[in-house]
Amino acid sequence: MLPYEKNNWICHDVFLAVTVVFGKSQENIIDITFNKLGAVYHKNESGNSVCKVIKANNDITYKVVVEIVDIDKKPIGYKKTYTLSSPFERYYYVPFQFSELGYYYLSVSFLHGDKVIFSKQEGFGVIPDVTLTKKDYDSPFGVGAHYARYGDWRVAEIQQALGIAWVRDVARWKDFIGTARNTPDPFIDYLDRHNICWLPILDYVDANHGWQDENGIWRWDEDVTNIKKYVEMNENRILVYESQNEPSNFAGWNKRWPHPQGQKWRPQGWGVPFTDLVKQMHDSIKAVNGDIKLIWPGEEEWIEYFDDNREDVANHIDFTAIHPYILWRKYPETSPFYDGFYKMQKEMLKKRNIPTEIWVTETGWTTYLPDSIRRHFPPVTEYQQAQYLVRNYLVQLYFGAGKMFWYELVEEPFGVHHPESGFGILRYNTMLTVKPAAVAFANMVNNYRYLKPIGKYLAKDRKTYGFIYENEKESGAPVLSIWREADEKEELIPVKYTKSLTGVDIFGRTIEIPIIDGMAHLPLSMSVLTVSGFDMDDLKNLYEPKEQY
C-alpha cells in the first residue's frame, strides 16, 4: 500500500511476521528494538522499530495496541490494534519518518477487554544535525562517562551525534605504564575518530602508597613518576588533566587520614597529604610541557584549607573544578548560583592569586525510583531531568562556569532504586536508547553553542527566569531564554519594533508567538523557551547587563 502522511510524519502499514513458540512460561513479553544506535534520527530521516510480542497463554485472547505518542503523551496520529489469541511470537514492524524535531514514545500494550494488563514503551529522538565533524575545544558542553565500564565502545557514536564536544573519563595510566604494552592510550585515537575532546581524570593514586620524608612532606614518588610517563606518551595530544576525582570519597584518603569529627567531605585530615600529592603531580606534568594544565578539586572549603595549611599552593593550581549537585532543593535556580556563588568563589580565588576559571566537572539530576530509604539526591522524572539539564547549563554558564560536564552519559546498572543508576541520559540497554534529556542536550547545543550572554532578564515575577544573548553567527541578533520555576504562566512583553517571534522548546519544537496590540504573549513553563526575532530596541530596558568578574 502507499504510505500516508499525517501530523508531519509518514508511516507505512505495519508488517506482521508470525512464528510459533513452544515451551514459554505463562507470561507476556514485549521487546522494542530500533534500527539505529541510540534511537536518534534527524528530520526526514527514515527509521523503523521492530516490536516483538510473545504470548505463551493458550486460553486468553488479547488486543495488542501499537501506538506512537509525543513527549507529552499526546497521540500523533498512528495507532494500530491487533488480536492475539494463539501462543505465538509476533513481530510488528513500524517504519517512521518525522519532519518535526522532538522526543517520541513507541508504545506496545496488551489489553484484555478494555483493561491494559501489560505495556511497554521505548523512547526515541528526532534531533537537529549537531554531529561533531571536528573537535570543538571552545564548546562549553561536556558529559561524564565510564566508557570502559560499559564494555560497549559504540557509545561515542551517540555522543558524537548529540554534539556533546567533551567527555570526562578516567585516564588509566596504571594500565599503560610499567606493563608489557607501554604504548599510548588507545582511548585518545578512539575519541579522535569521533571528534570528541577528552578531559582525562588521572586514575586514583592510592593513599596507602604515600610515605613522609624527613621534611614532613608526603611523597608518592613511584606513582608520580608513572603519571609523568603517561603524560609524556600523550604529549601534544592532551593539554588539560584533572588531578583526582573527589579525594574525600575515594582511594582511601579519608580512611588513612580521617576527619576528627568524621566529616569525610571536609579536608581536615586528608587535605595536607593530598595537597603534597597534587603539587608533585603538577611539577612532574609541567616538566613535560609547561602548557599542560592540571585541574584541582576546587570546593571552597578545600581551596581555603589547602592554601592555609601548605606553602606555595597557588603556584601549583592552574584552575579549579567543582561538583555542584543540587542536594535536597530540587530546582537549579534555588541553588546558590543565582545568588552570587560564582562571584564569591572567584573573589576567593583571586585573593589567593589562583586563576578564576572554574569548570563544573560533575552536575546532574537522577531519575531513580525512590524507596523507603531517605537519600540526599532528590529523584526527578525523565521529563524534569531534561528540563533541569538545560536550565542548569544556562544558569551556571551565565554566572561563571567555563565548561560543564553532565553526570553522566549512560545509566548505571545498579538497580532502579539506586541514585547512581538514574543520572545517565542514555539507557543502559542493548541499543543505548536516548532519554528525553539527551534530546534536550542536542537541542541546547544547536540553539546555544554560538550565543553570547549579555544580561539577565528582568522578570516581573520572582519565579520567572531568563537571559538575553547575542547570536554570534547572526550579526549579534538578540535571543531570549525564559522559563518558570515550577508552573506555567504567560509572560507579556511590550514590543514596538518587533514584527514576529519564534519560540523553540527544549525538544526542538517550534511555536509562533503571538503579538497582539503591541504585546508579545510568551507561554512559559518549566521548560526553557528560546525566543528569536526581537528587535534589540524592545529588549534594551528589559535586562540587567552581565556582570564581569
Side-chain angles (χ1 to χ4, degrees), residues 25 48 130 148 152 173 188 207 214 264 314 330 383 438 466 492 502 517 525 527 531 538:
S25 61
N48 67 72
V130 289
D152 189 336
W173 52 271
I188 305 175
E214 65 275 8
K264 67 177 185 178
K330 185 177 289 187
Y383 204 145
L492 299 179
T502 300
D517 297 328
S525 70
S527 294
V531 186
D538 285 331

Side-chain angles (χ1 to χ4, degrees), residues 312-348:
D312 203 27
V313 172
N315 290 339
H316 291 80
I317 297 179
D318 294 318
F319 60 99
T320 55
I322 58 174
H323 292 180
Y325 290 98
I326 307 300
L327 306 179
W328 307 120
R329 294 174 296 179
K330 185 177 289 187
Y331 308 119
E333 304 76 25
T334 56
S335 70
F337 311 124
Y338 233 86
D339 300 323
F341 166 83
Y342 278 102
K343 181 177 182 180
M344 291 184 292
Q345 186 85 345
K346 292 191 175 189
E347 286 175 351
M348 182 268 292

Side-chain angles (χ1 to χ4, degrees), residues 155 158 162 409-411 424-428 432-435 438:
V155 72
I158 307 174
L162 295 174
L409 186 55
V410 181
E411 292 183 329
I425 60 176
L426 304 178
R427 303 185 197 284
Y428 192 84
L432 300 168
T433 54
V434 289
K435 292 165 67 175

Side-chain angles (χ1 to χ4, degrees), residues 160-175:
Q160 182 180 15
L162 295 174
I164 304 175
W166 286 83
V167 67
R168 174 183 183 254
D169 199 1
V170 175
R172 291 176 167 78
W173 52 271
K174 300 170 191 174
D175 293 342

